[in-house]
Amino acid sequence: MKVEVVYALPEEQSLIALDVQEGTTVMEAIVLSQLLNKYPEIDLNTYKVGIFSKVTTLTAVLREFDRVEIYRPLKIDPKEIRRKKAEKNKKLTK
C-alpha cells in the first residue's frame, strides 16, 4: 500500500513516498523513509507524530494513502505570542 512520510523545517520539506505492507506502523514507515538518517535531530521520544494533522502514536497501524507527519517541538508557545501581541497593541492604542 502507498503511504507518505513528511518532515518539515522552516527552510525545507522532505516528503518520502513509500510502498509498505499492510499492518505497517507509523514507526516502521518513519524508519523505512530514512528521514531519521537525514535529520539526526529527530527524537521520536520527544517529537510528536501524526497522520493527516491528527496526533497519533508510533504504534498506530497505517492505511492506504496515509501521510505520516513528524512534528518539531514549538520554540515559542502560540499563546505567549498572542499575549505579547495583545500587550503591544494595547500600548499603541494608549
Side-chain angles (χ1 to χ4, degrees), residues 4 11 17 19 23 30 36-38 45-46 51 57 59 70-71 79-80 90:
E4 297 176 332
E11 64 278 352
D19 282 316
I30 291 171
L36 298 176
N37 296 333
K38 185 174 180 180
N45 292 315
T46 57
I51 298 173
T57 65
T59 58
I70 304 169
Y71 306 125
K79 290 179 187 176
E80 182 67 18
K90 190 186 267 187

Side-chain angles (χ1 to χ4, degrees), residues 47-63:
Y47 283 33
K48 291 184 180 184
V49 295
I51 298 173
F52 289 118
S53 302
K54 195 170 195 174
V55 175
T56 191
T57 65
L58 293 170
T59 58
V61 176
L62 298 173
R63 296 183 293 177

Side-chain angles (χ1 to χ4, degrees), residues 16-79:
I16 309 297
L18 299 170
D19 282 316
V20 298
Q21 296 180 0
E22 282 193 37
T24 297
T25 65
V26 168
M27 178 66 174
E28 291 167 336
I30 291 171
V31 170
L32 289 170
S33 75
Q34 307 251 337
L35 288 174
L36 298 176
N37 296 333
K38 185 174 180 180
Y39 302 101
E41 72 273 11
I42 296 174
D43 179 0
L44 294 177
N45 292 315
T46 57
Y47 283 33
K48 291 184 180 184
V49 295
I51 298 173
F52 289 118
S53 302
K54 195 170 195 174
V55 175
T56 191
T57 65
L58 293 170
T59 58
V61 176
L62 298 173
R63 296 183 293 177
E64 179 99 40
F65 304 118
D66 275 350
R67 183 182 67 224
V68 175
E69 301 158 339
I70 304 169
Y71 306 125
R72 293 177 290 114
L74 297 175
K75 292 188 183 222
I76 301 174
D77 181 3
K79 290 179 187 176

